[in-house]
Amino acid sequence: QRVTNRLIREDFGLKPNAPLTTETLKNIRTVAGSVYQQIKNSGDIVTDGKYLDELTDLSKSADEIAKDFPDLNFASSEQIQKLQNGLLRDKFSANGALEAIKQLRKEASGNLAWNVEDPSKKALGLAQREAAGVMEDQVIRHLKATGKETLAEQFDKARTTIAKTYAVQSALNSSTGNVVATKLAAQLRKGKPLSGGIEK
C-alpha cells in the first residue's frame, strides 16, 4: 500500500507525505485546468465526421440491447442513447464544450467509483468517460485547425492529468486515504488509458 500511494504522489508531483484525498485531486484539476480559460474564447467549434463517427460508436452496445430487448434497460441503454443524442450537434461554443466535458468527467467518476456495484451505473459511467474524450479530441482538432498548436498541446497534457485524477479518485478509499491498486487494475483491464506511476 505504501508503494502504491508513493507512486500516485510521484505521478502528480506531490510531496511524500501529501494526503491523498478528493480535495487534493480537485486542487490538481484546478491547476491543470488553468489552460481551459484560454480555450473558452476560441470561438465556435464545428463538429467533423470523426466526432460524429465516435459518438455513433458510443451507443453501439446500447443499440444492440434495445433492438433485441426493447422493453428492458440493460446496461443503462436508454441513458447512453440519450447521452449520445444530446451531444449530436453541428457546432457548439468552446466554452460550452469545456463545461460539458467537466460535467461528463464528474458524473463518470461518480458512476465508476470503486464502491459502486450497479452494472447499469458503471456502463453509463464508461459511456460518459468516453463521451468526454470524444469532445476533448474535437476541441484539440479545432485548436489545431485555427492555428493554436501550442494551446492544443497544453490542453492535451492538461486533460491527461485531469483524467488521471478521476481514475485515482475512482480507486480512492476516502476513509483510509489509500488508493486501492486492484481498482486501478480493474480500470486497466477495461481499457482505461493509464500511464506513468498510476499504470505501474
Side-chain angles (χ1 to χ4, degrees):
Q1 186 62 69
R2 287 196 299 271
V3 172
T4 299
N5 291 347
R6 175 176 58 79
L7 288 170
I8 298 302
R9 290 187 178 98
E10 289 176 353
D11 220 26
F12 289 131
L14 298 172
K15 294 180 179 179
N17 295 322
L20 292 174
T21 64
T22 53
E23 189 64 28
T24 298
L25 297 170
K26 182 180 178 180
N27 290 338
I28 293 171
R29 286 195 288 271
T30 299
V31 174
S34 60
V35 67
Y36 284 46
Q37 296 300 321
Q38 302 176 54
I39 299 173
K40 286 185 176 182
N41 299 319
S42 62
D44 286 342
I45 299 173
V46 179
T47 55
D48 54 24
K50 186 173 178 60
Y51 174 83
L52 299 177
D53 288 343
E54 290 178 344
L55 278 185
T56 300
D57 290 340
L58 187 70
S59 68
K60 275 187 177 179
S61 60
D63 291 341
E64 289 297 317
I65 293 171
K67 181 177 68 176
D68 293 330
F69 303 97
D71 297 326
L72 299 178
N73 185 29
F74 287 151
S76 197
S77 59
E78 289 182 8
Q79 290 93 325
I80 294 173
Q81 290 172 334
K82 184 177 179 180
L83 171 65
Q84 179 203 37
N85 292 335
L87 293 175
L88 286 173
R89 295 288 183 271
D90 293 330
K91 68 176 182 178
F92 40 73
S93 69
N95 185 42
L98 294 179
E99 290 301 318
I101 290 167
K102 182 165 59 177
Q103 187 63 28
L104 284 168
R105 291 283 183 196
K106 180 180 179 180
E107 293 183 6
S109 178
N111 287 326
L112 294 172
W114 71 275
N115 56 345
V116 174
E117 298 181 359
D118 187 341
S120 65
K121 286 188 176 182
K122 288 189 176 295
L124 180 58
L126 289 170
Q128 290 167 329
R129 189 178 70 191
E130 183 65 23
V134 169
M135 292 196 75
E136 288 168 343
D137 288 341
Q138 179 65 84
V139 170
I140 289 174
R141 292 195 297 274
H142 164 74
L143 292 173
K144 289 181 177 179
T146 53
K148 299 180 176 67
E149 292 277 349
T150 300
L151 191 56
E153 292 175 4
Q154 292 173 339
F155 175 68
D156 194 23
K157 183 178 180 180
R159 72 163 180 165
T160 299
T161 298
I162 291 172
K164 281 185 174 183
T165 66
Y166 281 115
V168 171
Q169 188 167 316
S170 295
L172 180 66
N173 186 330
S174 299
S175 62
T176 63
N178 291 323
V179 176
V180 183
T182 53
K183 300 299 179 181
L184 291 175
Q187 293 183 43
L188 198 61
R189 286 195 299 272
K190 292 178 181 178
K192 175 74 174 179
L194 304 181
S195 61
I198 295 175
E199 180 183 26
K200 186 182 296 183

